[in-house]
Amino acid sequence: PSDFLQPKPRVPERVAFLGHFIDPTFFGRHEPALARFSPDQLQSLINRTWEWTDPCLFVSRDITSTTGAKVNFNFIGLSITSGILVEHLRRHDLEPVRALIRKAMETARDHGCRLVGFGQFTSIVTRNCLEVVLPPLACTSGNSLTVGVAIRALERAAARRGVPICALPVAILGAGGNVGSTYARLLADQAGSLTLIGGSGRDSQKRLRRTLALILRDQARNLASGTRIGPIAEKLREFPAFKLHQQDFSALNMDDSSIEILLGQLGDTFTESGPVRLGQISSCRTCKAIVTATNTAEPIVFPDHVLPGTIICDISIPSAVSREVASMPGVEVFKGGVVALPNHELLNIGALQLEPGLVYACMAETILLGLEQHWKDF
């Protein structure tokens, strides 16, 4: 009877995270029976089966906070690779992959999850979760914590070298995207200068110019309000064309025509040599720090893009940095969006390239929202 009167242990709330294979070799890591096949054979198998293979639960694990709170974390795996998702993104053929992601959400819901984090390319192909909705599930892209953790990682890497961020010229690859543009706006308050780099497509360049305009608006408002300003704002204050239009940038409403008019008034000299400038990947050689936040399935940063001694914060999954870069003299390459679990819990997810006890920041954001019992879209 005394046992009967004891309260039953509270079952942790459940959250899910959607992920996929980084490349075909991770299929072999996930299923050891397939490890004997070549990457091309594995890719061929995935190409022929991904549309017919339902997402499934790879891992379910309780995560305990140092506060004592618990959440049950569920990794829902999609049997598809980054390369396939990128190809559908390029072709604007998104319905098949979104249908697969919707099935993954249904799997999460059927397992009793209340919130779903969209990992890797699942966030990108759904426009940051907005295009696939399944009430009552709440969603998060995980981008907020990813940016915050990656900025802290760059700050610590610079501190280890005894170099203040304010002395660093920084290149940001993927600066037109959600993560890259937010990272650029925040870093603009600290960095010595910023070079914004995007893809060659018209839409990519349009997003890149929008990021540039947002940074100029932020800095114009900082100057007008007397907020503590960094090196970029100091240089802007002395730049004649910007001084002339500072008030216009401060009031910029961010519609496309207004952006183009104001950037046009600054002139090409500014966008090519100002403290915040537009560049190509070759421009990385003018910078001592590089941040990658791209959605490419293959490396795009090679040794001829990088100066010796450069710090590289790689947020991209799969990595945007070739293996040869890490062996260059004095070059430090590190994953910017990785954090440790509170008790170094082992998830054993073969589909991901992580050391034991670590998770990507987007996964950590999903776990944190569950611990906070924040059952709303984030």
Side-chain angles (χ1 to χ4, degrees):
S2 59
D3 290 342
F4 179 78
L5 294 174
Q6 293 296 320
K8 293 182 179 180
R10 187 163 175 250
V11 177
E13 298 282 7
R14 295 179 177 179
V15 298
F17 185 81
L18 310 185
H20 55 81
F21 298 117
I22 293 173
D23 62 47
T25 64
F26 285 84
F27 198 17
R29 298 186 198 190
H30 171 68
E31 176 46 71
L34 299 175
R36 67 183 187 275
F37 295 109
S38 70
D40 287 345
Q41 288 173 320
L42 291 172
Q43 186 64 67
S44 176
L45 176 60
I46 294 170
N47 288 344
R48 287 181 286 139
T49 59
W50 71 265
E51 288 189 81
W52 321 109
T53 305
D54 285 345
C56 61
L57 181 65
F58 281 14
V59 168
S60 180
R61 181 80 159 83
D62 285 354
I63 305 294
T64 305
S65 165
T66 53
T67 67
K70 283 187 178 183
V71 66
N72 181 252
F73 175 77
N74 298 269
F75 186 95
I76 308 294
L78 288 72
S79 292
I80 194 169
T81 60
S82 304
I84 294 173
L85 291 166
V86 167
E87 185 57 34
H88 278 265
L89 192 64
R90 287 174 180 160
R91 297 200 315 253
H92 301 285
D93 178 26
L94 296 174
E95 287 312 310
V97 293
R98 286 176 178 173
L100 187 68
I101 291 167
R102 185 178 179 85
K103 283 186 180 179
M105 295 178 70
E106 291 170 351
T107 301
R109 181 192 60 190
D110 294 345
H111 278 85
C113 298
R114 298 186 63 177
L115 177 135
V116 177
F118 282 51
Q120 301 161 273
F121 282 84
T122 64
S123 172
I124 296 167
V125 300
T126 58
R127 205 164 60 87
N128 295 312
C129 317
L130 296 175
E131 297 297 336
V132 182
V133 179
L134 186 68
L137 282 176
C139 300
T140 181
S141 67
N143 288 350
S144 297
L145 192 62
T146 296
V147 172
V149 166
I151 284 184
R152 182 64 57 83
L154 182 63
E155 290 171 346
R156 288 180 175 177
R160 285 196 299 271
R161 296 189 171 208
V163 181
I165 293 286
C166 63
L168 284 176
V170 183
I172 299 183
L173 278 70
N178 187 278
V179 169
S181 63
T182 306
Y183 198 110
R185 291 178 69 188
L186 292 172
L187 203 61
D189 290 336
Q190 304 181 59
S193 67
L194 286 179
T195 299
L196 310 178
I197 302 169
S200 58
R202 183 177 176 181
D203 286 347
S204 178
Q205 287 299 304
K206 182 177 174 181
R207 291 194 298 271
L208 204 62
R209 292 174 74 81
R210 182 177 181 85
T211 301
L212 173 60
L214 277 166
I215 291 172
L216 296 178
R217 186 184 71 175
D218 293 343
Q219 298 307 312
R221 290 177 177 178
N222 286 348
L223 288 166
S225 65
T227 303
R228 179 176 174 270
I229 61 174
I232 287 176
E234 288 280 9
K235 294 170 186 174
L236 288 173
R237 183 160 56 186
E238 303 305 318
F239 209 100
F242 185 80
K243 285 171 67 176
L244 184 63
H245 297 286
Q246 180 181 327
Q247 190 171 352
D248 296 328
F249 271 106
S250 186
L252 185 60
N253 61 15
M254 297 309 297
D255 66 88
D256 292 340
S257 59
S258 298
I259 288 172
E260 288 307 314
I261 288 170
L262 272 178
L263 291 183
Q265 289 172 336
L266 287 183
D268 292 340
T269 301
F270 178 89
T271 56
E272 292 172 4
S273 61
V276 187
R277 64 185 72 96
L278 305 179
Q280 308 296 326
I281 194 163
S282 58
S283 308
C284 290
R285 284 192 63 81
T286 66
C287 299
K288 295 299 291 182
I290 300 171
V291 179
T292 72
T294 64
N295 58 7
T296 176
E298 301 289 342
I300 58 172
V301 180
F302 295 97
D304 58 337
H305 300 133
V306 180
L307 290 172
T310 300
I311 301 169
I312 304 178
C313 178
D314 187 19
I315 309 174
S316 304
I317 306 172
S319 175
V321 184
S322 70
R323 292 180 180 179
E324 296 81 3
V325 170
S327 62
M328 293 178 63
V331 170
E332 181 181 359
V333 182
F334 56 91
K335 298 301 291 184
V338 177
V339 298
L341 290 169
N343 299 296
H344 295 278
E345 292 90 343
L346 301 180
L347 297 182
N348 294 323
I349 302 173
L352 298 180
Q353 196 172 21
L354 287 168
E355 296 296 323
L358 302 180
V359 292
Y360 292 119
C362 48
M363 298 168 73
E365 182 172 300
T366 305
I367 293 167
L368 284 167
L369 291 172
L371 289 169
E372 292 286 343
Q373 299 197 9
H374 183 98
W375 310 124
K376 297 178 182 178
D377 296 329
F378 193 74

